[in-house]
Structures are given as structure tokens and as C-alpha cells.
Amino acid sequence: MIKLLKNAQVFAPQPLGIKDVLIVGDKVCRIEDKIEGYEGLPDVEVFDLAGKKLIPGYIDMHVHITGGGGEQGPASRVPESQLSVFLQNGITTCVGLLGTDGITRSIENLIAKARALTEEGITVYTLTSYYAYPPTTVTGSVEKDIVMLTPMIGVKIAVSDHRSSNPTAEDLIAVGVQARRAGLVSNTAGLVTMHMGSGKGRLNPLFEALEKSDIPMKNFLPTHMLRCPELIEDGAKLVRMGGFMDCTAGSDDNEVYVNADKLYDLLHMDGVTSENVSMSSDAFGSQPKFNEKGECIGLTYASPKYLHKTIKILVEKGMALEDAIKLLTSTPAKLIAKEGIKGCVAVGADADLLVLDENLDIDALFAKGKTAMWAKELLMKGRFE
């Protein structure tokens, strides 16, 4: 099937002006000022975007696709994700992972869910293991999991958190080397995603690991980096060194504004830009509240809807749209080793394209070339929705 998108204001994410975009199958085939000769042909759909903004589909780097939770017992387990929730919020690619619970939430189930969502219409990658160290794997090693299990691109670990195994610099080097080697062999990212708590160690184990090893900084991605001022400062330091950090959008209608303010301020620090900072939702992961004794006194779970909400807030605060959307497009594409394929509007890239109206509201979405949403009407859903 061929699709011709006419009169689109393209942000690739850099602004390209008004263009026509031709999609053949699941790829972007042409981007030109005017593309003629396709109207009226069989198997060609023409969409007039009338100057609306066409941007890359969002990449969410941190999603509990099989559900999270459990800090208040089995009844607090969060349900699995559904395709429609991703599509409604402009997400065409995500990285699925486990969280606190690596016992009743298995890597095998994670892989199956990732494949299911990919069959249904988006692209899903996964990380092996969960909070604990040494890592829990399917094949017996992080390296083998990444090389042999198709959707796997890295490993998850928790650092400086009361629920973590408190991995040392040497532990991070050990897991980082396995991920790095596996990434080279399998042509994947070889990513070590580090769940960061607000513990006393902050990023010190990572700084020590980087000092003692030759592992590229891009192989480590600390996430949840807006938890406290000290962690934000550590993240800014890491970015100035050439590394990357991931920031979680808010989990409710109040926190989204609080975290957007923190993110805006972070991106205006010296040496920090959205080229080295990504944003993720932590969607379907539990958001427990602990008191000073470490007791869980409340629990909710995150939604992906706050990603696009944050983009709108950042633009309202004065950030250029092309800079704001890098947090969810070109920067995460670098981290998952899919530059030129994901997170961009470019010839040869996947046809994951998001349309925004004059109010920057989500108006339409194309996922791998298929029309997932048009005129704010959702056209694709999961099999059992």
C-alpha cells in the first residue's frame, strides 16, 4: 500500500518546511516539496495534512509492558499494557522491561508480550533481568540473552535504591562489558538501563565504573533522573562528560508540571541539551510512595499520556518544538542504535509518523506505514481490545 501525505509541515526533527511525504509499505520513500502523479492511482491513499505538523513517532525508552507493581502484595500488580494506549499517545516504538518484581513477572512473558505488540502494529524491544544483581536471565548470561533472543537489546539493573542489590562499580563494569560485547555481536544497542533511586550513592558507582573501564558511556543509561536535585546534578555532570540520561515524565496531573519544570531547567544548564537527554513514561510501572521507615504507604501506576503532555508544556515555556521532540525521537533512537531508522522523518526510515494540529494536540498517527489514527479517531487496536 502506498500513502501520500500532502502539505505537511515536517519536523524531522529539524524543521524542513512544507513537504509532501511518500510512504511505500512501512518505509518513507520520498520527501519533496511536491510529489505529483500518484493521485487517483489504485492502492494509493492520499492524505492532505493542510499544514499540520508531521513529526517522528515517539520512542518510549522505559515501559513495563507486562505490568509492574506488587509492592503492596499480589493484588497491587498492574495489568498488562494494551496497544491502543500506545497509539493514542503517539508512541510507535518502546523498550519493554521488568521492575521490582522479577519473580512473578518473567523475562519469557516480557518477550512474548513484546512480540505480541510488534505483531499488532508497533515496534517493541526488551531488556533482560530486572532490579537484582547478579542479573536474572533466560539463557544463563546477559550476553547470550542479548545475542540469541531477537527483541533483546540490553539489560536492566537498579542502583542507589533501597530495593536494589547496591551494585558496585566492579559489578557495573561486569554487566556493562557483557552488554557491550553482545551489542557488537548482535548489532544491537547493548544497553545497560540503570533504574536510579534517591539513595546516597547516586551516580557514584557509574562514575567510578567509567573511570576504571573503557566501556563507552552510551552503553549506560541512568533513568528516573529527576528524583532529587542531587541526582539531577549528577546527570548533568554525566551529560557534560559525553554520556546520556533519561528523565521520567510525571505520573499524575500535578507531577507532570513539576517534572516538566525540572526538565526545562535541566535542559538550560550549561552543556546540557536534548541531544543527550531522553524522556520516558515508566508506563504501567507502579509508583509506590514510601515513608521515612521504608514502608509502602500508597501506590498508583504511570501512564504514557504524560509524555506528549510534557512536550506541550516545554513548548509553552518557550522551548522550540524541534528541540523538545528530540527527547522522544532522535535521542532515544541513538540509544537503541536505530539512528536513521527510528526517531526521524527521512528517506529509508520506518514510516512511524505523528501528526499534530495547530494546538499541538495529537491528530493522526502512522505506525509502520499503517494508519493507526486519523482525525483523532483511533483506527487500530489490539486483538482483544
Side-chain angles (χ1 to χ4, degrees):
M1 179 65 72
I2 297 173
K3 291 180 173 63
L4 178 59
L5 312 185
K6 302 283 291 183
N7 305 309
Q9 186 180 352
V10 177
F11 290 79
Q14 70 276 14
L16 301 182
I18 300 293
K19 301 287 182 181
D20 290 353
V21 177
L22 185 69
I23 299 170
V24 178
D26 61 356
K27 297 290 184 182
V28 174
C29 185
R30 294 169 61 187
I31 303 173
E32 298 176 14
D33 291 342
K34 291 291 181 183
I35 299 176
E36 306 288 354
Y38 286 86
E39 290 92 341
L41 294 178
D43 297 323
V44 175
E45 293 181 279
V46 180
F47 300 82
D48 187 356
L49 298 190
K52 293 175 182 175
K53 295 172 176 62
L54 183 71
I55 70 174
Y58 290 152
I59 302 171
D60 192 342
M61 292 289 295
H62 197 109
V63 186
H64 295 272
I65 57 174
T66 56
E71 284 96 340
Q72 289 187 327
S76 66
R77 287 160 46 96
V78 179
E80 287 194 357
S81 61
Q82 293 184 310
L83 179 70
S84 62
V85 180
F86 293 104
L87 299 176
Q88 287 168 341
N89 293 289
I91 299 163
T92 53
T93 302
C94 72
V95 178
L97 38 68
L98 301 180
T100 312
D101 183 4
I103 307 301
T104 71
R105 307 284 191 178
S106 71
I107 301 167
E108 291 87 348
N109 187 34
L110 181 74
I111 293 169
K113 182 65 177 181
R115 290 176 177 171
L117 288 168
T118 298
E119 286 180 14
E120 288 178 335
I122 62 174
T123 303
V124 183
Y125 305 102
T126 59
L127 304 179
T128 193
S129 198
Y130 67 118
Y131 276 21
Y133 186 87
T136 298
T137 64
V138 174
T139 65
S141 81
V142 167
E143 196 165 0
K144 285 184 180 178
D145 274 15
I146 296 172
V147 172
M148 301 305 295
L149 304 178
T150 301
M152 203 69 71
I153 63 168
V155 58
K156 169 82 173 283
I157 193 170
V159 179
S160 299
D161 189 287
H162 62 94
R163 296 161 292 177
S164 78
S165 302
N166 291 310
T168 64
E170 286 72 23
D171 295 332
L172 291 180
I173 292 170
V175 73
V177 166
Q178 285 197 62
R180 168 69 174 167
R181 264 197 321 251
L184 294 172
V185 171
S186 61
N187 193 28
T188 60
L191 189 65
V192 180
T193 291
M194 300 166 52
H195 162 99
M196 297 304 304
S198 53
K200 298 174 184 177
R202 302 202 309 267
L203 281 187
N204 290 330
L206 177 57
F207 289 137
E208 186 179 346
L210 292 171
E211 183 179 348
K212 290 182 175 180
S213 75
D214 298 310
I215 304 170
M217 292 185 196
K218 193 171 78 169
N219 286 92
F220 292 100
L221 181 66
T223 188
H224 311 318
M225 292 295 290
L226 299 179
R227 285 194 191 278
C228 60
E230 295 82 5
L231 204 54
I232 293 172
E233 287 292 339
D234 273 9
K237 175 183 174 181
L238 180 66
V239 167
R240 293 185 191 108
M241 293 167 57
F244 292 78
M245 63 186 288
D246 183 67
C247 299
T248 311
S251 59
D252 58 43
D253 291 337
N254 176 62
E255 191 179 52
V256 66
Y257 286 95
V258 174
N259 282 10
D261 286 345
K262 292 178 182 179
L263 185 54
Y264 183 85
D265 292 342
L266 168 69
L267 293 170
H268 285 80
M269 290 183 177
D270 289 341
V272 179
T273 73
S274 51
E275 295 283 347
N276 287 66
V277 178
S278 61
M279 178 171 60
S280 60
S281 69
D282 202 14
F284 312 102
S286 66
Q287 302 292 308
K289 292 178 173 60
F290 294 95
N291 62 19
E292 65 279 357
K293 297 178 182 180
E295 299 167 336
C296 186
I297 57 174
L299 187 147
T300 183
Y301 68 93
S303 166
K305 69 181 180 181
Y306 295 111
L307 291 178
H308 184 65
K309 178 68 173 177
T310 300
I311 296 297
K312 291 187 66 175
I313 296 171
L314 292 174
V315 173
E316 288 168 3
K317 289 173 69 68
M319 184 176 292
L321 178 63
E322 57 266 31
D323 293 328
I325 62 174
K326 288 178 183 177
L327 298 164
L328 291 171
T329 58
S330 57
T331 298
K334 286 188 284 189
L335 289 164
I336 63 173
K338 294 295 180 182
E339 285 184 274
I341 299 172
K342 298 288 188 183
C344 62
V345 183
V347 173
D350 285 357
D352 295 332
L353 304 170
L354 178 59
V355 180
L356 307 181
D357 66 16
E358 63 277 7
N359 298 315
L360 295 188
D361 291 327
I362 293 174
D363 186 76
L365 180 69
F366 301 90
K368 292 191 285 191
K370 294 182 179 179
T371 310
M373 181 189 297
W374 182 254
K376 296 183 172 61
E377 181 184 355
L378 189 65
L379 302 178
M380 287 173 53
K381 292 185 178 181
R383 177 172 296 187
F384 297 108
E385 292 191 68

